[in-house]
Amino acid sequence: TVTITDKGVERVMKRTFGKDDRQFIPFRSIASVHHDRKRMGRDTVSVQVGTRVYEWKVQLNSEGFVNMLNERIA
């Protein structure tokens, strides 16, 4: 799951065993946000942080998600 906070993006990856994996990406470290629209299924949103790229599959309101990220990093 992905949560947008005032200072950045918090990413939580659920694990079946043990603790969940949590990452925090500050807005100041995000270089760009890309939106890949798919005809069927979920759109892909890519966030580039330095040399690393994080990808999420967003089903509902992917354009709103991308617009919100672009507003926060501007």
Side-chain angles (χ1 to χ4, degrees):
T1 58
V2 177
T3 305
I4 298 175
T5 64
D6 292 338
K7 297 182 180 186
V9 178
E10 184 177 2
R11 177 181 170 180
V12 178
M13 292 171 284
K14 302 280 184 187
R15 303 282 184 212
T16 53
F17 298 106
K19 288 182 162 182
D20 294 340
D21 187 17
R22 293 181 178 267
Q23 291 180 322
F24 184 77
I25 305 167
F27 288 125
R28 66 178 182 269
S29 65
I30 296 175
S32 64
V33 178
H34 300 283
H35 184 201
D36 184 19
R37 291 179 180 86
K38 305 286 184 190
R39 287 180 165 244
M40 304 285 286
R42 300 175 177 171
D43 293 355
T44 303
V45 176
S46 303
V47 175
Q48 184 169 357
V49 179
T51 58
R52 210 159 171 194
V53 177
Y54 297 99
E55 289 188 353
W56 295 289
K57 293 189 179 191
V58 180
Q59 187 170 4
L60 300 173
N61 196 14
S62 58
E63 289 181 19
F65 181 71
V66 171
N67 290 337
M68 186 182 303
L69 283 177
N70 281 326
E71 286 174 6
R72 299 279 175 100
I73 65 173

